[in-house]
Amino acid sequence: MIESIEQGRKEDGNRSIANKIKSRLHDLEKTVESNYGRWAWELLQNAKDSISNDESRKVSVLIEIDADSVTFKHNGLYFTDLDIRGLINQISSKEVEEGVETKNTGRFGTGFLTTHLLSKKVEILGVVKANEGFHDFSFLLDRDGSTTEILAKKVEESWKGFQDSAKPLDIEYDDKTFNTSFKYLLESENQKSVAKRGITEFLQLIPFVLAFIPKIQEITITDNTSNEMIKFENTDEVIDDILIKIKKTINEESSDTLIAIEKNDRVSIATEIEKHNGKYLVKGVEDIPKIFCDFPLIGTEKFHFPVVVNSFYFSPQTERDGIWLKGSEDEEVATNYELLQSSVELYKTLLEKIANNNYTDLYNIANTKIPNTDERYFDKDWYIENIQKPLREVLMQSEIVETSSGRVKLENVYFPDKDLLKEAREKIWQFSSNLKVNKLPIKEHIQKWAEVIWSECKKVDIDDLVNDLKGKKNIAELEKILSIGKTETFEWLKQCLTFIKENDEYNYPKYEIIPNQEGTFKSHNSLKLDEIDDEELKQIAKLVGFNYYEILIHQDLFYDFEISKIDIEMIANKITTLINEESDSEDRKKAITMLIEWFGNNEEKGKEYFSSLYSKKEKLLVDTIEDKESLYSILRSDVKIADIAEMIRQDPAKVRKSMQKAKELDALYEEFGVTTIDELKKLITTSPKGNIAIENINESIIPIDVPKKATSEVLASLGITNASDFEIAKKSHPELFHENVPTKEMYDVAQSLITRAMKNIEEHLKTLNDEYNCEDIEATAPTVLGGIVKHGRDISVVARPSDSGKIVIGYYESEIPTLELDTSELWYENGTPYPQRMTLGKMLKSTNITRIPV
């Protein structure tokens, strides 16, 4: 042997090793942010690999944390001479054993160099088995050097340290004790930070590693700086055929971590489960690595697989932060493809078991987004077709969504639109839930589902909410669906409309979801705000051909959005235009009489807004009556034109009779040469030709005589519905109906009219809920309604039909005592939509009474 050449060969080898170490450490130092915890996994991997070929062995690990060091110990098997060479020369056992099938993940190769991110100085103690037998050793592995020359020298010093320390064992080798130790010397605050953050990551992921690798029996971490001891143990206990129990002890307090796992001979998948109040909750794997090659590949946290996938057979990338998934012709890529596809089948099985066992919070294992990874090593098209689509097909057919009516298949559930803000999602969920159209997830889960659903999932967005609301068609149907009161329904609708407008202001005006004054849903664009503040004018306008109820927003809806308005001037102009379009329709005539009556009650408004119509009101009224001569006679009397208009509207027959009386009165004026009632009264009362004294001759204009002939309408106005009532009435008024006797058919019709009046008046009172409380309303007599509260006082209502143009009181004994009370009211109706209350003013006006005995 030529000594100089041999020495040169050794130096060349050391420089080559040193250059490799220098280059690798330089690269690692740039990735320290993503490799804080990798040192612990590399050491644990080496511990596991030490017993991987011994089926009967399990390994335990002890990590000790001190102020200036971290020590990693295990009770695995001894070092081999290949292990020592790998440690010092930085050659992986996989490189040395290339071509030989092994169960090792890879020992002391480039991965081991990542432990030097913790410290470049490591004191290594252990036992090596060489040809000469067992030796224990202890030496310093020092990688602290900035040049190849320095590192080459330190490689040689490590060899010397090892050789100098190696001593034959003087006792029998005990493979159950912690014979192997790596002590990392922490000389800077940065190194201590790496140690702390690495331990934190390690603690989070240990349960998964123990579940995947049963050969690791337990891991204990003793922190001497805080006097805390944490131990994780593999219990070998399985629950529900899917849950592996990992026992965790902190000092002396123990708890269980549950890992749901499904596996075949090459792949296993897992997720964490939490037991709470007797229920199993899926915790999910959102913030942890999704790919394990026995140990976590740090950097796959955003791989977005719904569970953790583990396989010893994965081919990881160089930095062990992902797997190769591009280039199907490559054998390693093809293997990775196969393993991932196998995990999809396992996922289907695991999901079915979890669902069948009624675990909750299953949204935590439903994330199927495209992985966020380096596109240079990832075939997106392949992943979508072979992984994402099959995963989503499984999810769609699985009963994993918790609703108010139980667990439902994902394909049948509507989810609040994930494009909405968090608060908006909660609101749209509430509105949609109230409308009782869609199957929705329970409210507590909607934010979580928003993070995992995809475009094919059904969703509740603004369009969907609008269609569901529009489908109710009117406010009455909405109130029925919501099962709340009228006031609450309008409050709910206001909130819903505000929400829709805030989130879709552009389309809001065309949505038919706003009730008009008929209760029908119309669009914002087709409606106006009601500032008319007069129901009679709207009724008049409807009679002459323009229905403001169709275009005005419902009065009970507080609508403060910007919108056009209709005021009294505008409706006055419309009514004026339509009335000036002369026609002989009965509706126009009725409108004119109503308007003139309105003039009588609103003189100033009539002059201001209806100036042209007001100035010719007499002519308008005359035009509605065919018998002009008789009408002129009435107009010449003291009766106000508004009163005449009211009479015409309420009882045209009575007016016709009054006009006949007016003719007779004119004849008397002419005969006796007088022009007023007072002159005629004075003449007659002082006349020696007779003793007739006429009191209040004006009563002849509005006669209130006793009916002579029976009709159904007259019977109804009297409240008589049967022969018994008729006989009672005849006793008090023998002159009643002396021209004919009521028939059974008349009684039946009269009964129907009274029933209609009772019903319509009751329903009308219920619409006046701000004034009348009708919750306990009931008929207390044939024509009397009781159980009504008005302004806190109990009242009774006497109800009458007025089809005959009049009502007569007193034929029922219950009526007069009722009306004598100051808590009673008299209401009448003739089949039109608006029953009316008989006030004292109306009574005096219609009867022309001028004196009342007291």
Side-chain angles (χ1 to χ4, degrees), residues 706-707 709-733 736-737 741-755 782-783 799-801 807-813 815:
V706 177
K709 184 176 181 178
T711 67
S712 300
E713 290 78 8
V714 171
L715 286 170
S717 73
L718 297 169
I720 296 174
T721 60
N722 54 58
S724 297
D725 291 342
F726 174 68
E727 292 302 324
I728 294 171
K730 286 283 284 182
K731 288 179 181 179
S732 301
H733 304 276
L736 186 65
F737 301 152
V741 177
T743 64
K744 181 180 184 303
E745 289 75 15
M746 290 181 184
Y747 289 135
D748 290 344
V749 173
Q751 178 63 66
S752 68
L753 293 175
I754 291 173
T755 300
T783 59
R800 271 290 197 278
I807 56 176
V808 183
I809 301 299
Y811 289 103
Y812 276 105
E813 294 180 359
E815 292 179 335

Side-chain angles (χ1 to χ4, degrees), residues 580-591:
N580 284 333
E581 295 174 359
E582 296 187 5
S583 73
D584 292 330
S585 73
E586 291 301 318
D587 281 345
R588 180 177 179 273
K589 292 176 181 178
K590 187 174 181 181

Side-chain angles (χ1 to χ4, degrees), residues 634-646:
I634 296 176
L635 289 172
R636 287 196 298 271
S637 70
D638 294 333
V639 181
K640 294 181 179 179
I641 189 170
D643 296 339
I644 297 173
E646 182 180 7

Side-chain angles (χ1 to χ4, degrees), residues 774-788:
C774 300
E775 290 184 0
D776 300 318
I777 194 169
E778 61 178 348
T780 59
T783 59
V784 180
L785 293 169
I788 305 168

